[in-house]
Each structure stands twice: as structure tokens, then as C-alpha cells.
Amino acid sequence: MRSLPKVLGLLGGICSVAAWPAEALAITASVAERAPSLAGEAVTFDLTIDGAVGPVQVRWDMGDETRTEFTVDDLQQVHTYAAPGHYPVLATVKDDVGFTSVSFVHTAHLPLVPGSAAGSTDLVYDQPNAKVYTANYENDSVTVLDANALIKLAEVPVARGPVGLALTAQGKLWVLHRDAHSLSIMDAASLAVEREVVLPYASQPMGLAISPTGDAAYVTLMAVGKVLKLDAASGAVVAELVLGGTPRGVSVSHDGAQIYVTRFISEDSHGEVARIDAATFQVSTRFQLAADTTTEDTDQQGRGLPNYLFSAALSPDGSFAWVPGKKDNIYRGPFRDGLDLTDDNTVRPLLALLNLAEGVEDVARRIDLDDRNLPNQVVFTPLGDYAFVSVAGSALVEVREAYTGDFVTALKETGFSPRGLALTETDKLFVHASLSRTVAVYDVADIVSSHDLITKKLADIPTVAAEKLDAQVLRGKQLFFNSADIRMSDQGYISCASCHFDGADDGRVWDFGSVGEGLRNTVSLLGRRGTGHGNVNWSGSFDEIQDADDNIRDLFGGKGFLSAEQLAVGTVAAPRGDKKAGLSPELDAMAAFLGSLDTHHPSPFRNADGSLTEDGVAGRAIFRRLGCGFCHTGPDGTDSAGGKLHDVGTVKASSGMRAGEPLFGIDTPTLNGVWETAPYLHDGSAPTLRDVLVTANAEDRHAFTSALSEAELAQLIAYVQQLDGTVDREPSEEDGSGEEPSEGSFWGFGCSVASGRGDRHAPLLSFALVAGLMTFGARRRRPA
């Protein structure tokens, strides 16, 4: 079995062999169009001959290494293909005058399951009504398109942050809202909202799928590690499952019996997809996507930990599920294996194939999409023989032969950040270019039928009438995602979004020794307003977002957005040197996008009304008593704006340097949003907040926590877990008295001590300032 590009190339070559002169081809041959067959079942090919002179001899090549010799009047072949695939069939005919041939591709496929599986997406196709719907996340709207006329019909406002869509057989459109933590049920015909379903506060609902049987719907709550089962008629929650981790994508099998949920952020040991039995609503299988630690790092392959796992796509034969994601090469670097990170071997795109019958990943069939970045949705052709893969970071859709995983072709010019896909019964592929605010439509009939690689782009349909993002901010986000720009990445593997999808973090610790740093835990960019907190990176190595051009050149392999002439002026080329702002419209746009990230995700550890819990209030008092606000000061909870660096006992040899210069300390990170950014500390050496305060704080250099009881420690952690940028009222304010905390202090702690570069004593000075609040003789240790 050969891949389709090779097959079609072979057949094209056969049909144009110059050694067969046109005047000798009076004989003609044809084979009646054959429907695809099932693998393992016999299929009959009948050859028709016209214009033959003398006896006719035929030789058959069945495309699976089965060949015949020239045989007189061998006009029929009955053949069985043992395995599914695309087979180039060639019949060569000769008579007394000359030769001719006929060739075609025959598809053998596996038995199909009845119906279709369902999966979470931001674009859905309404076949009965010939409509397409898109969820427009930043613009809080849903757009309706005419699937035949390829025009926009309507755009309707919905609640904040729509991320998922699903249709019921009764003509209801379900819209899932991440930011409003809610679900809207709309009438698809009138576009009127009939019901709003409130979901748990700050739970970040991300995945939505309605069972093909119509009896249930499923929603993932990424922030709280849960999956909900909802009544498909009312939207009422009927059951919940604590899954753990960061559940994001959700898919349901064709018969509604199995639910598949992907964990977006992986542990350091493996990626994970959970299979849930719909009847019991309990996990039946946990597919572990193994970390690849043995593959040789080359320009076409590499090691890596599966991460950023999006919704699983179940094949129409019910045998496999394809899971798009990425591989993070956290095994490489000067402090780890002595090898520098390169643009080929930092992050690589991943398609993991789950063997559903055996309940394991088929590691041997894992697909590495060469020179691509951030695949995120997969749809299959009706026979399951081809897979269309949207590749958000590369601004294209790849087509893969489903049985071999081989590359077939790529649909380009999709627009920025293609995500949701839908293939119609008329072989139109709809692609939601989420950051271009368009839907691209392609005619892919020749691919679906295995006749050719030819595709035709039919339309780019606008989805958003009034853009809510500033034009420069939107342009910056487009650049932030796009690795197809050679200025961002030479090989196309890396963009800023590779580690900061939608501005958040990837939960990984990277070895940046090759770019003058050390082990660095990925920082979430949410709520930081670019340089709104001061210098950026754990070492405070950049004083403007435009300094990222250094990493783009050194780590991404990009050509950069600044010219050699610009970099040669003064100290522009150096981090924290002469300003880069104003020199590149693209860098300025990315800075504008990061500057727009001015909020953190609300903490689900708070009360349902968004207020601090009782333990959170108690923990706030302990936080102040310990003097934590000395460094975590002001409304942003950091003294970074003053250029301060601190060593709280966590700087070590693997901490490396500061942009190639000595590292005297670490830039103070905000604690806002820390609830969702484990692991902790600059090198990720603290898996939990308790590890930060206890395990990594044996000498009390990072707050005097050894004096706390276990109950007090738990209260302090509860408070830190609830920090999300919200200004919380004091208990006295709730009674109508008191004042709001000063903007110059962090949660009311107004301590300010001058601190120069590399201040190693700030936490101890902080304790000294508040020591009067504590009784030294009463110091007690927690039980071991």
C-alpha cells in the first residue's frame, strides 16, 4: 500500500510514458467505476476493451504487491485486500499493434459503525438546515453561515467567552461560555436564547459534546478537574465526575456508551486521556500517552512529553481515536543532557493514536507533523480513510492518510489560527480561522474520492462585524500564534503560543541554558499586562516585551522582526539595552497584545459569589503577619517594578544566569492566579504550594512558616489559592466600616523597604518588621 501522493504520481507517470507512441494506441481500455470495498472481502474489477487488433493480453497490478503475467483475455480480476488502504490498480493491455493501460485508486476500508461520534468544537454543521455556526470567543458572539450560498446570515451576541458549540436533533444550539461559566440553549431557527444554565463559579467550562443518542450532554470544567453529565433537554446537571487534572476536550462514541476526555496540561511523566463509561459515569480506562525519551533528536523527529491535548477524534470504524497535541522536549538542555535546545527540538506537533479495543496508545503509530505547530482538531472522511487536521500555529489544514498516517497534502491560506473543522456531505470543508474572524471553505471532493490531490478554495466568509479587540492587539495575537512566518520560526515549529496557548502557561520547566538562563518554569502571561508588573521572565532579563526578539532569533530559529541595521545601533541588540519599542510594528503589536492581558482567571477556590472563604480570610491575616507583602506588594503582588531580585534560598547552580550575566536573585512573581500555574518556583521544583512554603523553605528564608501549625499553614495556602486579582473587602467593610486596601500595598500590607539588585535578605527584613506581632518564645514546629 502506497501513500496517496505517491500513488497519484505513479499513475500519472504511467499514463505519460513517452515510449508508447500515440499512433499505436488504437486500442482503448476502461474499468467500470468501483465503489470502495471492505478489507478482507472480495471485489471484482471488469475491464472493457475497444479497438483491439488481434489477441488481447492483460497484466494486472493490484497495488498490494499482487501482480499477474500477461494473460490472453484476462478481463476480470477478483481480488481481496487484506488491509484497509488506498491501492493503485493498474491494468496494462497489449494487442498486435501496441499498448494501453487503465489505472485508478481503489479504497478498501474497515467496517463502519452506525452513526457518528461527537466531539467538542467551536464550529458545527447543521446538515438538515444547511447552516454552519461558529463561536467567536473574543467577540462574545455566534455567527450563522449559509452552507450552500457560502454567505453570512447572522451574528448574535451571547454571554462572555463562547468556546464550544453543539446541536441537538431537536434543533437546539448549545453554546458553552468559558468566561461566564455558563451554558446557553438557543433555538437554532430563531436564534433566541431559551435557557441559561449556570455552571460552577470560575470552573472554566471548555469542552461540550452531546451524545449521538440524544440522551445526555457532557461538559468539561478545566479549572476544577471535573466532567458534568447534563440532561439533553433541559441542560440540568444530573451527575458530576471528579477526574482531576485539566480536562478540556470531550468526545462521545457513536452509540453514546463511552466518553473520552483529554487532559490539556500533562504531568511530567505522561499525557492522559480518560475513557468514561456513560452508564456508570465512572472512569473505565486511562490512556497514558508515554513520554518519548529515546527517539533521536533530528530535524524530522525528536523526544518529548505529550502536552496540550485537545479533543479526541473517533474514527468512523470505531477502532481508533486521534488526539492532537504537542511534544515538549523537557529532556534536552545544557543542565539536562548537555545539548542545546534548537528550533527543531524544543516543541514538536503530535498526533497520538489510541487503540480503543486494547485501551492503550499505539505508540508505533504516533505521528509527528514535520515543520508544523499546534494541531488542535481532527475530522475524518465518511469512510475514515483520510483525516483533516487543523494546525493552528501553522495557519493550515493537513490531510493525512488515516491508515498509514502519511502526509497527503496541506490546505493553505486558511487564515490565522484555524481550529474548528466540519466536512459536509457535499465534500466541502469548513475551517474556522479564529484569529482572522473568517471561515474558509474548500472543495475537497477529489481527495475524499481518492481521485486527485486537487482542492479549490471556494470562499472566505467573515464572521465578526464589529471587532472588540483593538486592531493592534488583534494583529499582535495573530503574530503570537503564527509560526508560519519565517521571522518567527525558520522551520515552522515554534511560536510564542507554543508554550503560552491563549496567553497561559504549559506547566513545563525548560532548560534555557543555551540562551543564557537556566531551568525556567513557564510563566502565565495572564494579568501581567505585558510589562505592567515590571521586568519580565524569572530573572527579570527583559525590560520590554520587544526583547523577545532575542528568543525568537536564538531559540525559535526565526529571522527576527528587527533588521541587522537596527540591532547594530547602540545597545539595541542587548536585553535591557536601548529600547526596541517603536522599531518594529510586529513586535509593538505583540507587546500590545500582551499588554491587553489585564485579568487573571477567577479562582474556583473562592465562594460561589467570588468572595474569600472563611479559611481564605484567616489565611489573609497570616499572610500579613508573616510579612509576605514585603515582596508581594501592591495590587499586583510584586516588587518587580523596582527592579528588585531576591534569593529566598531557591537559587542554585541549575538556576543559570540572567541573559548571560550573573544571576543574583529571582524576580518576584505575582501570586494572583497562582492557583492554576503549578508547578512553582522559577525551576518548578515545588509541585504544590505546600512544597513552596515547607519543602523548599527549610531555612525560613521564604517566610517564617515553621512557626505555623498545620491548620494555619492550610489557611495560608487557602488564601494564596484564592488570589486572582480581586480586591477583597475587609471584614469591617462588610459591616459598613473600614476602608479598601491601599493601592500601594498587597492586600493591605503596606511595607516598603529599599532593596537593591540581588537583595537576599528582604524576607528576613520583612520578618523583622513584623516580629512585634509574634511572640518569639511561642515559636512552635509543625509535627514531622
Side-chain angles (χ1 to χ4, degrees):
M1 182 177 63
R2 304 179 179 93
S3 65
L4 185 61
K6 294 178 182 177
V7 167
L8 295 175
L10 173 65
L11 298 183
I14 290 171
C15 293
S16 61
V17 174
W20 297 346
E23 58 270 23
L25 297 182
I27 185 173
T28 61
S30 62
V31 173
E33 186 76 17
R34 292 297 311 175
S37 64
L38 289 174
E41 293 187 1
V43 59
T44 301
F45 301 112
D46 290 306
L47 184 65
T48 300
I49 304 296
D50 288 315
V53 178
V56 173
Q57 299 182 64
V58 181
R59 181 178 65 195
W60 292 86
D61 184 333
M62 307 309 297
D64 61 351
E65 300 184 356
T66 301
R67 299 179 180 85
T68 68
E69 298 300 326
F70 277 108
T71 304
V72 175
D73 292 335
D74 186 9
L75 302 183
Q76 185 181 81
Q77 275 291 310
V78 179
H79 190 72
T80 299
Y81 291 100
H86 300 101
Y87 297 94
V89 180
L90 172 66
T92 305
V93 182
K94 68 177 181 178
D95 63 2
D96 289 347
V97 176
F99 293 83
T100 191
S101 66
V102 59
S103 60
F104 56 92
V105 174
H106 179 75
T107 301
H109 63 91
L110 295 175
L112 305 178
V113 298
S116 301
S120 45
T121 179
D122 66 355
L123 177 148
V124 292
Y125 172 53
D126 180 359
Q127 181 176 349
N129 298 300
K131 294 179 180 178
V132 171
Y133 304 87
T134 67
N136 309 317
Y137 177 69
E138 287 99 347
N139 286 284
D140 303 330
S141 66
V142 169
T143 295
V144 188
L145 310 177
D146 186 313
N148 293 326
L150 305 184
I151 58 173
K152 177 179 175 181
L153 297 175
E155 181 184 0
V156 295
V158 294
R160 290 184 301 113
V163 291
L165 300 174
L167 282 164
T168 71
Q170 294 72 36
K172 307 303 179 185
L173 177 66
W174 288 37
V175 186
L176 189 67
H177 306 284
R178 179 181 189 176
D179 296 345
H181 37 267
S182 67
L183 175 71
S184 301
I185 300 178
M186 305 173 65
D187 179 77
S190 66
L191 300 178
V193 176
E194 297 181 341
R195 189 177 298 107
E196 292 281 2
V197 179
V198 178
L199 299 173
Y201 174 77
S203 56
Q204 289 189 47
M206 287 299 297
L208 166 67
I210 295 177
S211 173
T213 59
D215 60 342
Y218 302 94
V219 170
T220 58
L221 304 180
M222 193 165 71
V224 295
K226 294 181 180 180
V227 182
L228 301 181
K229 182 176 184 178
L230 283 66
D231 180 83
S234 66
V237 177
V238 296
E240 75 172 33
L241 173 65
V242 178
L243 192 64
T246 50
R248 183 169 181 138
V250 58
S251 307
V252 189
S253 61
H254 69 285
D255 56 3
Q258 307 291 336
I259 305 108
Y260 296 84
V261 177
T262 60
R263 180 176 180 176
F264 188 57
I265 304 294
S266 301
E267 297 178 353
D268 279 345
S269 56
H270 63 274
E272 186 174 283
V273 180
R275 178 161 58 189
I276 301 167
D277 180 85
T280 63
F281 206 51
Q282 295 297 315
V283 175
S284 60
T285 310
R286 288 187 184 266
F287 294 85
Q288 292 194 0
L289 279 56
D292 183 353
T293 61
T294 59
T295 295
E296 180 184 3
D297 290 346
T298 70
D299 62 345
Q300 295 183 336
Q301 63 181 22
R303 296 169 290 170
L305 171 75
N307 200 17
Y308 276 4
L309 303 182
F310 292 90
S311 186
L314 279 61
S315 61
D317 53 49
S319 61
F320 277 86
W322 286 35
V323 182
K326 66 166 182 166
K327 285 201 307 185
D328 292 332
N329 199 342
I330 57 174
Y331 314 108
R332 188 179 178 105
F335 292 100
R336 287 177 168 154
D337 65 356
L339 299 175
D340 288 349
L341 290 176
T342 67
D343 55 323
D344 287 301
N345 290 113
T346 300
V347 295
R348 298 189 68 89
L350 165 77
L351 288 172
L353 274 65
L354 309 183
N355 186 316
L356 302 184
E358 298 181 9
V360 296
E361 180 197 2
D362 189 340
V363 178
R365 292 185 62 189
R366 184 180 284 182
I367 302 171
D368 186 321
L369 282 66
D370 198 32
D371 298 336
R372 303 290 191 240
N373 177 35
L374 293 173
N376 66 91
Q377 186 162 352
V378 178
V379 297
F380 291 99
T381 52
L383 295 179
D385 54 337
Y386 295 109
F388 294 91
V389 184
S390 62
V391 191
S394 301
L396 53 77
V397 173
E398 267 209 6
V399 186
R400 290 270 164 172
E401 211 273 9
Y403 303 125
T404 64
D406 288 344
F407 173 80
V408 174
T409 189
L411 310 180
K412 298 186 178 181
E413 299 180 356
T414 61
F416 291 110
S417 193
R419 298 195 186 184
L421 302 173
L423 180 64
T424 73
E425 74 283 0
T426 58
D427 298 330
K428 293 188 185 76
L429 183 71
F430 287 78
V431 184
H432 185 201
S434 60
L435 292 183
S436 289
R437 315 309 197 208
T438 58
V439 170
V441 188
Y442 297 85
D443 180 347
V444 294
D446 282 343
I447 290 179
V448 173
S449 64
S450 298
H451 283 161
D452 210 324
L453 301 182
I454 296 174
T455 62
K456 180 181 179 181
K457 190 173 185 180
L458 302 175
D460 275 315
I461 312 172
T463 57
V464 175
E467 175 62 48
K468 288 189 175 182
L469 294 187
D470 174 84
Q472 188 183 37
V473 169
L474 177 58
R475 177 57 178 152
K477 188 169 185 179
Q478 293 169 345
L479 291 161
F480 187 86
F481 266 85
N482 187 29
S483 64
D485 189 329
I486 197 170
R487 295 171 298 177
M488 175 68 76
S489 176
D490 180 47
Q491 299 297 317
Y493 287 112
I494 313 178
S495 65
C496 303
S498 299
C499 300
H500 300 281
F501 195 82
D502 287 337
D505 68 294
D506 61 3
R508 301 277 73 83
V509 178
W510 298 93
D511 184 347
F512 288 145
S514 59
V515 290
E517 295 283 320
L519 297 187
R520 295 291 183 264
N521 183 12
T522 303
V523 173
S524 172
L525 307 177
L526 302 179
R528 294 173 181 264
R529 308 186 307 282
T531 55
H533 291 186
N535 289 354
V536 297
N537 298 332
W538 283 101
S539 65
S541 55
F542 294 167
D543 62 359
E544 55 181 338
I545 298 301
Q546 289 84 346
D547 280 331
D549 198 61
D550 296 359
N551 282 344
I552 290 171
R553 292 170 178 274
D554 296 340
L555 188 58
F556 298 8
K559 295 188 179 301
F561 294 93
L562 295 174
S563 68
E565 292 75 16
Q566 288 173 313
L567 291 170
V569 175
T571 59
V572 168
R576 307 185 311 282
D578 292 341
K579 292 296 182 184
K580 296 180 176 71
L583 300 181
S584 162
E586 293 82 5
L587 291 177
D588 291 347
M590 282 190 278
F593 165 58
L594 295 191
S596 74
L597 303 179
D598 56 1
T599 59
H600 302 270
H601 291 140
S603 171
F605 291 92
R606 288 172 172 259
N607 289 320
D609 64 356
S611 62
L612 291 175
T613 65
E614 184 177 345
D615 278 348
V617 172
R620 177 172 58 185
I622 297 170
F623 185 93
R624 294 172 177 173
R625 192 177 79 207
L626 293 181
C628 301
F630 175 80
C631 300
H632 297 286
T633 187
D636 291 322
T638 176
D639 59 5
S640 177
K644 300 177 177 65
L645 299 176
H646 308 288
D647 181 4
V648 293
T650 60
V651 175
K652 57 198 77 166
S654 60
S655 301
M657 307 181 78
R658 187 192 193 205
E661 301 172 356
L663 178 69
F664 297 104
I666 298 299
D667 186 77
T668 304
T670 181
L671 299 181
N672 290 329
V674 76
W675 64 269
E676 66 174 340
T677 60
Y680 302 107
L681 302 179
H682 72 280
D683 57 0
S685 58
T688 67
L689 290 172
R690 192 182 196 283
D691 290 313
V692 173
L693 298 170
V694 179
T695 310
N697 189 34
E699 299 179 358
D700 280 338
R701 293 177 63 180
H702 198 174
F704 192 31
T705 58
S706 63
L708 301 179
S709 67
E710 284 296 334
E712 290 172 320
L713 182 65
Q715 290 170 332
L716 177 59
I717 292 172
Y719 173 61
V720 174
Q721 286 178 319
Q722 294 174 46
L723 294 175
D724 58 9
T726 304
V727 176
D728 298 290
R729 296 193 306 168
E730 298 287 349
S732 58
E733 291 181 88
E734 296 170 5
D735 297 331
S737 60
E739 298 178 356
E740 287 191 2
S742 164
E743 291 188 359
S745 63
F746 188 54
W747 312 115
F749 185 86
C751 176
S752 178
V753 176
S755 177
R757 184 177 73 168
D759 185 352
R760 297 170 179 261
H761 306 292
L764 298 181
L765 288 172
S766 172
F767 170 70
L769 290 171
V770 298
L773 301 176
M774 303 176 62
T775 303
F776 186 80
R779 175 177 174 178
R780 56 189 183 277
R781 292 277 181 180
R782 293 181 301 277

